[in-house]
């Protein structure tokens, strides 16, 4: 089984979020975990949850839609998320996000993501059968 994980890659004044895992859904979940770490390196509790969905005609565009949905929920709800559960069926992504309201003292947010972009957008199956998903996030 392929491991799961994420990383942040500096990209000019922005940052590229990358997630990987044994399935496309796991890679998308890990890309969202990386997105949270763009904002804070502090522990985020999963006390609250919400569900979201989005749709796009291919996996690359679906990743951008997904990350922009997470960014929207962060901005509008004043939330940070620590855990994600993604289900992808064809062109539709449904997800549950667990998190908590931003506590500026405890979370010390470093920046506010403005949006996922098409720059360095990559979603692909890798050797061994796993998936990698990543793109640049405007911060």
């Amino acid at each position: 089984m392929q491991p799961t994980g994420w990383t942040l890659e500096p990209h000019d004044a922005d940052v590229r979020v990358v997630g990987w895992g044994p399935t496309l859904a796991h890679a998308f979940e890990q890309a969202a975990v990386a997105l949270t770490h763009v904002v804070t390196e502090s522990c985020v509790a999963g006390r609250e949850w919400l569900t979201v969905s989005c749709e796009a005609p291919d996996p690359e565009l679906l990743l951008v839609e997904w990350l922009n949905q997470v960014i929207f929920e962060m901005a509008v709800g004043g939330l940070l998320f620590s855990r994600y559960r993604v289900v992808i069926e064809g062109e539709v992504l449904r997800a549950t996000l667990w998190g908590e309201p931003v506590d500026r003292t405890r979370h010390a947010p470093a920046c506010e993501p403005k949006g996922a972009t098409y720059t360095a957008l990559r979603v692909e199956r890798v050797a061994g059968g796993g998936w990698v998903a990543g793109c640049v996030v405007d911060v």
Side-chain angles (χ1 to χ4, degrees):
M1 174 179 266
Q2 292 290 318
T4 59
W6 59 269
T7 191
L8 299 175
E9 299 172 351
H11 188 275
D12 296 329
D14 297 317
V15 65
R16 183 168 187 257
V17 298
V18 180
W20 60 87
T23 67
L24 182 61
H26 283 108
F28 277 40
E29 290 168 0
Q30 291 300 305
V33 171
L35 178 62
T36 296
H37 284 267
V38 169
V39 179
T40 185
E41 294 182 10
S42 299
C43 181
V44 176
R47 295 191 305 247
E48 300 179 18
W49 60 272
L50 59 94
T51 59
V52 300
S53 65
C54 55
E55 185 174 342
D58 65 57
E60 286 84 10
L61 297 177
L62 190 58
L63 176 67
V64 172
E65 291 295 317
W66 158 237
L67 293 176
N68 280 329
Q69 186 69 46
V70 174
I71 290 167
F72 174 82
E73 297 298 339
M74 287 177 170
V76 171
L79 299 167
L80 287 172
F81 303 102
S82 58
R83 189 165 53 104
Y84 303 87
R85 170 81 171 117
V86 170
V87 175
I88 299 172
E89 296 173 333
E91 298 177 352
V92 178
L93 178 151
R94 292 183 181 80
T96 304
L97 296 66
W98 288 268
E100 65 178 328
V102 175
D103 178 332
R104 297 212 175 273
T105 302
R106 190 164 48 87
H107 294 127
C111 66
E112 182 176 352
K114 296 177 184 138
T117 73
Y118 301 116
T119 303
L121 176 59
R122 182 177 146 216
V123 175
E124 64 184 7
R125 190 179 293 266
V126 295
W131 288 84
V132 63
C135 72
V136 170
V137 173
D138 185 17
V139 294

